[in-house]
Structure formats: structure tokens, C-alpha cells
């Protein structure tokens, strides 16, 4: 039996509904534990150390993670979440060919590849480049998307995500490219 497609959702969903909603009931749904949609996900991921240096999370977060049971995927065993599933880092790295993961979303995407999905939908991922970390995370995920497509895995990206796209083609749309660089003045002559 063929696996249904999987939707991997970030937290930057643009509305109360999911973009790939037509057959949503039949898709596997994966997302981040701190998303407000976490209850709708089949697999929920928190791939950060459980220590005192965690960023702000919802007030009910600890209880939320405990209630998820085996649907929760973590990077290592944690006494607070004894039923959680440990992320299979070695098998994912072996499949990808290198340990190149710079975000939870990259881990999730690679895990979907390893899990045998032939169609992966991406939504709710906003990689507006505000800093070097986000630029690296975007590049990492785009690398994995290209790797998946090279392996024959179909990838569909929500149009509001700024992955694998650009507003111009290098060399062909030079004025548009230069216009996005605020330190360069474009002359009309």
C-alpha cells in the first residue's frame, strides 16, 4: 500500500486553514510542538535540548508534550516525556549522506524522505532572511528539497513560503535584482 503524502508545517501558517486542505484528511500531518495547530498533527517534533536555556514557549507546554505520548519526537530520551519517540538521527544521516541539519524543519523533511514518502508538501515556513542563521536554515532546507527531487520524491511548496523561488532570474532580470539591493542605485539610461 502506498503511503499518503505528508504535510510538513512550520509555524508561519498564514491563516486558520491549511493550504493543502483538499485531501487533508488523507495526508499524514507533521508539525512543531509549539505550533497552535499541534493537536492536528500525527507526528509532533521538538528537536531542541530540554534545558533551562529554552526560548519562550506556551504556558501549558510541558503538559502539552506529556499529553502527546509517542506522537512527540525528541532528540534524546527525557524522563518528563517517557513515551516520546527518539528521532532516528543515524538512519537519517546515513540516508542523506551527511549530517547537515540546521533546523527542526530540515530534520523533519529528511525524516520524511527516510520514511518512504513519495510526496512531501511544505507549508508555514517563512524564511525571510533577517539574519545569518535563517539564511543558513533556508539554504539547508533547499538543499534537502533538491536532494529529494533528485531521488524522485515529489515536493510541493505552499506559494506563500519563500523556498525555492526568487522574484528574478540572475542575469536575465538584472534591473529587478539590483533594485532589491538598497545600496546600489539603478540608472534608467
Amino acid at each position: 500500500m502506498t503511503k499518503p503524502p505528508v504535510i510538513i508545517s512550520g509555524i508561519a501558517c498564514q491563516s486558520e486553514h491549511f493550504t493543502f486542505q483538499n485531501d487533508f484528511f488523507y495526508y499524514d500531518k507533521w508539525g512543531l510542538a509549539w505550533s497552535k495547530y499541534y493537536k492536528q498533527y500525527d507526528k509532533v517534533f521538538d528537536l531542541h535540548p530540554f534545558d533551562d536555556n529554552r526560548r519562550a514557549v506556551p504556558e501549558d507546554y510541558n503538559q502539552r508534550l506529556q499529553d502527546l505520548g509517542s506522537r512527540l519526537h525528541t532528540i534524546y530520551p527525557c524522563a518528563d516525556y517517557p513515551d516520546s519517540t527518539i528521532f532516528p538521527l543515524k538512519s537519517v544521516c546515513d540516508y542523506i549522506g551527511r549530517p547537515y541539519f540546521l533546523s527542526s524543519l530540515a530534520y523533519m523533511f529528511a525524516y520524511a524522505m527516510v520514511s518512504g514518502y513519495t510526496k512531501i508538501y511544505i507549508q508555514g515556513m517563512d524564511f525571510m532572511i533577517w539574519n545569518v542563521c535563517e539564511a543558513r536554515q533556508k539554504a539547508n532546507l533547499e538543499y534537502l528539497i533538491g536532494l529529494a527531487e533528485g531521488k524522485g520524491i515529489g515536493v510541493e511548496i505552499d506559494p506563500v513560503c519563500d523556498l525555492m523561488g526568487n522574484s528574478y532570474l540572475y542575469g536575465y532580470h538584472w534591473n529587478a535584482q539590483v533594485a532589491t539591493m538598497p545600496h546600489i542605485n539603478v540608472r534608467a539610461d
Side-chain angles (χ1 to χ4, degrees):
M1 183 173 157
T2 305
K3 279 187 175 222
V6 63
I7 298 173
I8 298 176
S9 296
I11 58 170
C13 291
Q14 300 296 317
S15 66
E16 291 298 320
H17 72 283
F18 289 93
T19 301
F20 303 110
Q21 195 166 5
N22 293 344
D23 296 314
F24 184 75
F25 179 77
Y26 301 104
Y27 297 171
D28 288 344
K29 297 162 287 297
W30 296 7
L32 301 168
W34 51 93
S35 167
K36 66 181 178 181
Y37 301 109
Y38 78 98
K39 289 181 181 178
Q40 299 179 33
Y41 300 142
D42 301 303
K43 292 184 190 237
V44 182
F45 295 81
D46 186 327
L47 302 173
H48 298 92
F50 294 110
D51 59 21
D52 294 334
N53 295 320
R54 295 182 66 99
R55 68 185 140 164
V57 293
E59 187 175 313
D60 67 339
Y61 196 67
N62 191 48
Q63 185 62 50
R64 174 187 296 193
L65 296 184
Q66 290 173 353
D67 292 346
L68 287 168
S70 63
R71 289 175 43 215
L72 174 63
H73 288 66
T74 60
I75 57 174
Y76 56 81
C78 181
D80 290 341
Y81 318 114
D83 297 326
S84 65
T85 302
I86 306 306
F87 185 84
L89 182 61
K90 182 174 179 354
S91 63
V92 171
C93 287
D94 289 348
Y95 182 85
I96 299 302
R98 66 182 69 230
Y100 179 40
F101 306 103
L102 300 177
S103 69
S104 297
L105 300 168
Y107 280 116
M108 292 163 60
F109 189 89
Y111 187 30
M113 293 170 63
V114 170
S115 298
Y117 287 95
T118 58
K119 185 73 170 182
I120 302 172
Y121 292 91
I122 296 174
Q123 70 177 15
M125 297 183 194
D126 182 4
F127 284 99
M128 296 301 291
I129 306 302
W130 301 109
N131 59 47
V132 172
C133 180
E134 289 172 346
R136 289 179 180 157
Q137 289 176 348
K138 180 179 180 184
N140 179 211
L141 194 53
E142 289 176 332
Y143 164 79
L144 293 170
I145 291 168
L147 188 63
E149 291 178 334
K151 291 179 177 281
I153 298 170
V155 178
E156 189 170 331
I157 303 168
D158 183 340
V160 300
C161 293
D162 57 345
L163 291 166
M164 303 297 285
N166 212 345
S167 59
Y168 62 87
L169 292 176
Y170 177 80
Y172 289 93
H173 302 121
W174 179 249
N175 286 338
Q177 178 183 356
V178 174
T180 63
M181 300 175 193
H183 62 282
I184 298 176
N185 293 323
V186 179
R187 292 188 352 208
D189 56 331

